Structures are given as C-alpha cells and as structure tokens.
C-alpha cells in the first residue's frame, strides 16, 4: 500500500466521521414530525410535516412539539407509565403531540383562570375537538421538545 493510498483511505474515513457528526448535530437541533389527526386544523392538517427547532425558549402563541401524555395519567406521569407495547397494545400512538401554547408559567389557564404552575405550559389544540391540557393538565416544560418553525 502506497502512502497516497493510505492518505486517501484516511481522508475517506475523516469525511465519513464528519458526515456522521453533522447528522448528529442536526438531529440535536432540529426535529421533523408528522401531524396526525385534526386537532390542529386549520393551522396544520393531518399528514403535514412540521420542522421544529429544539429550544427551551417557549412563549404563548407558539406551536410546539411535546412528548405525548400518558392517556390515563396525563403529562405529570407520562415518563413513569408503561409503554403501549409493554401494555400489550399492537400500535402505539405517536410519541409527539403538536399543540399551541395557550399560557405559560404564571399566566391564567384558559377556562379556570388559575395560574399555570412554574415550569409548565398550558397547551391547546386549534380544533376544540382535540385532546390537550384541558384533559391532561399543564405540560411540564421539560417535555416540550421545541417550537415549530415551518410546515410542509
């Protein structure tokens, strides 16, 4: 093996490592989610995809991607509940919900007027028929993955 062959092989390995790291960095910063259902009509329709930027800077009016709550226990217990596969269901619901922030920490919750607890957000569907914080309670801020910046 000549030195130019070795150099070419090392360059190829370096390019592959850099590409893998680039993809990893993009995935840490961005999230592509498919909208399922009609809960966000008319802003977003079933089957559309949204690009969300991972951020902790969330404000009222933003459309966000959040971890889906446990169907019975809500967001507060979503991390402790068994997954759908472990519970014996054949198809698990989407792990992500796309909702609009109706109120942030300390702001009055729609319907009750009570303040949203610190570190939580009150998330609503644009379509009143959708499930949201009215059923599952305020969403902990650490379960909000990012803010939607574009739909496709």
């Amino acid at each position: 093996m000549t030195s130019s062959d070795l150099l070419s092989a090392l360059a190829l390995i370096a390019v592959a490592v850099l590409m893998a790291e680039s993809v990893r960095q993009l995935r840490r910063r961005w999230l592509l989610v498919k909208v399922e259902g009609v809960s966000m009509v008319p802003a977003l329709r079933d089957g559309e995809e949204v690009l969300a930027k991972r951020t902790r800077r969330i404000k009222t009016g933003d459309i966000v991607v959040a971890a889906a709550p446990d169907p019975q226990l809500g967001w507060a217990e979503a991390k402790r509940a068994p997954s759908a596969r472990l519970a014996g269901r054949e198809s698990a619901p989407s792990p992500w919900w796309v909702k609009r922030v109706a109120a942030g920490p300390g702001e009055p919750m729609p319907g009750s007027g009570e303040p949203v607890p610190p570190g939580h957000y009150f998330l609503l569907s644009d379509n009143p028929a959708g499930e949201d914080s009215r059923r599952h309670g305020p969403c902990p801020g650490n379960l909000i993955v990012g803010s939607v910046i574009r739909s496709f």
Side-chain angles (χ1 to χ4, degrees):
M1 180 181 273
T2 67
S3 63
S4 65
D5 289 341
L6 182 60
L7 196 56
S8 295
L10 286 174
L12 186 60
I13 290 170
V15 167
V17 167
L18 285 172
M19 287 178 64
E21 179 62 17
S22 296
V23 169
R24 189 178 76 79
Q25 290 295 328
L26 284 172
R27 292 190 64 165
R28 287 182 63 195
R29 183 110 176 139
W30 303 97
L31 180 67
L32 188 64
V33 176
K34 187 173 185 177
V35 176
E36 296 177 4
V38 296
S39 71
M40 288 303 291
V41 169
L44 301 170
R45 303 203 180 284
D46 183 38
E48 280 187 82
E49 291 184 317
V50 295
L51 181 64
K53 181 178 181 183
R54 294 180 189 264
T55 183
R56 293 285 176 216
R57 295 182 191 146
I58 306 297
K59 60 185 184 299
T60 301
D62 285 353
I63 296 177
V64 297
V65 175
D70 178 85
Q72 283 79 36
L73 303 174
W75 274 299
E77 299 294 328
K79 292 291 187 185
R80 296 186 196 140
S83 72
R85 281 189 211 132
L86 293 176
R89 286 188 266 156
E90 286 188 22
S91 64
S94 172
W96 306 116
W97 271 18
V98 179
K99 302 293 175 191
R100 189 174 305 275
V101 177
E107 296 177 345
M109 286 189 269
S112 73
E114 293 180 35
V116 176
H120 289 70
Y121 294 86
F122 198 84
L123 305 182
L124 288 179
S125 303
D126 283 359
N127 183 344
E131 286 193 38
D132 49 37
S133 288
R134 291 172 289 195
R135 175 173 178 203
H136 299 287
C139 177
N142 65 337
L143 295 182
I144 296 178
V145 179
S147 183
V148 171
I149 62 162
R150 184 175 171 92
S151 65
F152 307 97

